Amino acid sequence: MSTKTLLNANKAASQEFNTLAARMQVKYQTPQQSQSITTSLRIQKDAIIWIKASVFGVTLLKILITPQRVTFYETIGDSYFEGDFSFISDMLGIQINFNQVQSLLLGSSILDIKPSLVTTSTVLIGQEQSSKYRVTLKKQNLNYMLSMLFNPDNFMVHQLQILQPQTQRNLLLQYGPYQELEDNYYPTQLGILALEEQEKTSIFVRYKKIDLNPVVGFPFTIPKGYTKRSFK
């Protein structure tokens, strides 16, 4: 399969929905902390991403993302953040916008790749030697090294890795099996590993239930008295 055909097939596999609601189990780990959190995800496609994280029914965190802003508040510490996408970009080590965050959550490619800049090959991975399409830059450099794996059966992303050796950054996204819902494919698992120098952040997401086109709200109000946080 040619690179252009593969990348067009991935774009064509983009999910069709107006709203989405999902229940997820999220395991979050850094050198300082480790948590397993029940999380609710709601999306109004191309407009709003809403996330609520809770433990034993108690809300710990709410996030509201629009194409213009990223806002969240934490009940532990009584603090909130309101700003642009530089917060998420710094966390992942790459520049990212609303559509890319949405694609990341749904298993679509977060990169708009020109076919002329990459090459495609077929590789066998894992103990089961499953076949994947591999996309890499024709000219890799020490500032930016890219590798992507696509599933041949649904053209969704299996793995994305971006290495930035000069800044000692490494981002790895890996998706588990996909489930078919209303003729589109949605991830059942997502693993995120972000390395910066010696700092390691890992996030594992298990999608327990996904509902398409439900009637949902996006309630979000920063409680009074919370302190605004800044990240630099």
Side-chain angles (χ1 to χ4, degrees), residues 18-41:
N18 293 316
T19 60
L20 177 149
R23 296 283 291 174
M24 308 181 301
Q25 192 68 31
V26 178
K27 293 183 179 179
Y28 175 84
Q29 186 170 0
T30 69
Q32 293 78 32
Q33 61 177 313
S34 178
Q35 288 184 312
S36 180
I37 305 170
T38 300
T39 306
S40 297
L41 168 69

Side-chain angles (χ1 to χ4, degrees), residues 156-173:
M156 304 300 288
V157 176
H158 172 71
Q159 185 185 90
L160 164 67
Q161 185 169 29
I162 298 174
L163 295 173
Q164 301 175 74
Q166 289 187 343
T167 56
Q168 299 183 59
R169 283 183 161 183
N170 180 10
L171 174 65
L172 177 67
L173 307 178

Side-chain angles (χ1 to χ4, degrees), residues 167-171 193-201:
T167 56
Q168 299 183 59
R169 283 183 161 183
N170 180 10
L171 174 65
L193 177 64
L195 297 172
E196 183 175 3
E197 297 180 345
Q198 301 302 314
E199 189 80 10
K200 175 181 176 181
T201 300

Side-chain angles (χ1 to χ4, degrees), residues 151 157-158 174-179 186-191 204:
N151 295 317
V157 176
H158 172 71
Q174 184 157 320
Y175 296 87
Y178 283 81
Q179 58 183 314
Y186 295 83
T188 61
Q189 298 174 359
L190 165 61
F204 178 77

Side-chain angles (χ1 to χ4, degrees), residues 5 43 92 134 140 210:
T5 300
I43 299 176
L92 296 178
R134 183 181 183 186
Q140 302 276 18
I210 296 177

Side-chain angles (χ1 to χ4, degrees), residues 126-194:
Q127 294 182 345
E128 298 179 354
Q129 292 289 282
S130 58
S131 177
K132 306 292 181 186
Y133 292 120
R134 183 181 183 186
V135 173
T136 56
L137 290 173
K138 290 180 178 179
K139 294 183 179 180
Q140 302 276 18
N141 61 66
L142 291 179
N143 292 322
Y144 191 87
M145 302 173 70
L146 168 70
S147 175
M148 296 186 71
L149 297 176
F150 292 89
N151 295 317
D153 56 342
N154 54 35
F155 302 108
M156 304 300 288
V157 176
H158 172 71
Q159 185 185 90
L160 164 67
Q161 185 169 29
I162 298 174
L163 295 173
Q164 301 175 74
Q166 289 187 343
T167 56
Q168 299 183 59
R169 283 183 161 183
N170 180 10
L171 174 65
L172 177 67
L173 307 178
Q174 184 157 320
Y175 296 87
Y178 283 81
Q179 58 183 314
E180 187 174 0
L181 299 171
E182 298 185 12
D183 299 322
N184 292 140
Y185 291 93
Y186 295 83
T188 61
Q189 298 174 359
L190 165 61
I192 303 173
L193 177 64

